[in-house]
Amino acid sequence: MTTVTKQERAQVDKANASGRTPVVFVHGLWLLPSSWDRWARLFEGAGFAAVSPGWPDDPDTVEEAKTHPEVFAKKSVGQVADHYDAVIQGLKKKTAVVGHSFGGLMTEILAGRGLAAASVAISPAPFRGVLPLPISALRTASVALRNPTNRHRAVPLTYDQFRYGFANALTDDEAKQLYEKFAVPAPGKPLFQAAAANLNPWTEAKVDTRNPERGPMLIIAGELDHTVPWAISNASYKRERRNDGVTEIVKIPNRGHALTIDGGWREVADTALGFIKRFV
């Protein structure tokens, strides 16, 4: 059972009252909904109604998240996907969905449920059937995977881990600024689920890529991404293009996993916005 918060309900009500097409933003591990604030303003300015729900129990601020990391523990892929599903069910117009990292995986799951008018999955975490396992991705995931008890814990990133996994394409100064402004602990469970997805037929980390109601989908990849390297994004694209709907992929040069929050965020956002405007 998932519960839509008062804040999320207020966003849904505002979107419905506007009469505009909504765009639901889905964040990934180690970030909060506030990581989408600039994107939300951009899409609002383009005539959409931005909705930025959290994962279940997300704190409102980075400061709260660092003070109470335990609230992130034990969240699963299925639980988070069902939460966003519940939010979307409250919208009167069919929504576009944009997600990053594990939020990108959630975006593919939601689109596979037929809930998206169009979707953009940015550096999406792998799902069952996506086979490449580049060393850099394993190194990033090892933050949680090296200790089995992390499956039930909240896992923070050190600065060095954030620098490698998110900010490898940035200067030290920008990496430190992003780490202080955005990085929060995250549940370890989704990383274990994704790592075992191809071994577990009942995994929650699976996507219905053939649903004829999936809608148009764009996958965006960062050329230098360590966390979700091109090989993973491209393998996800190859699975998704089995769908009869429009499926496209774009590689953004010289960008790492922080491409939605770093100084070049606007290029990525404009790419996503341009795709959605073609279909919605």
Side-chain angles (χ1 to χ4, degrees):
M1 184 70 178
T2 185
T3 302
V4 178
T5 67
K6 290 182 179 179
Q7 185 179 30
E8 290 164 347
R9 175 56 60 190
Q11 290 187 56
V12 168
D13 290 345
K14 182 180 177 182
N16 288 337
S18 74
R20 296 176 169 190
T21 297
V23 179
V24 171
F25 293 99
V26 190
H27 73 81
L29 295 180
W30 296 298
L31 296 175
L32 290 176
S34 56
S35 62
W36 292 114
D37 285 353
R38 292 177 294 185
W39 286 65
R41 289 192 292 270
L42 176 67
F43 275 72
E44 291 270 354
F48 294 93
V51 181
S52 303
W55 289 28
D57 302 317
D58 268 358
D60 291 332
T61 67
V62 171
E63 291 72 20
E64 289 178 57
K66 291 178 178 178
T67 302
H68 298 287
E70 67 280 357
V71 301
F72 295 102
K74 301 180 181 179
K75 304 300 184 298
S76 73
V77 169
Q79 181 182 3
V80 177
D82 288 347
H83 180 75
Y84 279 87
D85 190 320
V87 172
I88 290 171
Q89 296 293 349
L91 293 166
K92 293 180 180 179
K93 285 191 172 184
K94 198 164 188 179
T95 186
V97 182
V98 178
H100 169 246
S101 195
F102 265 91
L105 170 58
M106 302 300 171
T107 296
E108 292 184 86
I109 291 172
L110 295 167
R113 294 180 181 181
L115 296 174
S119 58
V120 180
I122 305 165
S123 299
F127 56 88
R128 181 173 172 80
V130 174
L131 301 178
L133 288 171
I135 292 174
S136 67
L138 290 172
R139 177 175 169 182
T140 301
S142 72
V143 171
L145 300 180
R146 62 191 174 195
N147 184 347
T149 62
N150 283 336
R151 183 181 182 90
H152 305 292
R153 293 177 176 174
V155 182
L157 292 178
T158 66
Y159 170 71
D160 287 342
Q161 290 165 342
F162 179 85
R163 184 81 171 91
Y164 182 83
F166 275 76
N168 59 294
L170 306 176
T171 65
D172 282 335
D173 285 345
E174 184 175 8
K176 289 175 182 175
Q177 290 171 6
L178 294 182
Y179 180 69
E180 292 300 323
K181 184 175 182 179
F182 291 110
V184 297
K189 190 169 185 176
L191 288 162
F192 284 87
Q193 290 179 292
N198 288 315
L199 304 174
N200 178 10
W202 302 278
T203 181
E204 294 178 348
K206 59 185 176 183
V207 173
D208 182 356
T209 58
R210 296 187 182 273
N211 185 350
E213 302 300 318
R214 188 207 67 181
M217 177 179 289
L218 172 66
I219 293 175
I220 298 178
E223 179 189 19
L224 304 179
D225 196 326
H226 278 169
T227 298
V228 183
W230 168 254
I232 292 178
S233 293
N234 194 42
S236 297
Y237 163 71
K238 289 178 179 178
R239 300 285 296 188
E240 289 287 3
R241 72 179 180 185
R242 299 177 181 184
N243 194 281
D244 290 336
V246 173
T247 308
E248 298 178 4
I249 189 168
V250 172
K251 183 191 292 186
I252 307 292
N254 302 314
R255 304 299 293 281
H257 200 61
L259 74 174
T260 58
I261 58 172
D262 64 24
W265 71 273
R266 183 64 187 265
E267 177 186 7
V268 187
D270 283 339
T271 301
L273 177 60
F275 181 82
I276 290 171
K277 287 173 72 173
R278 284 167 51 194
F279 300 102
V280 178

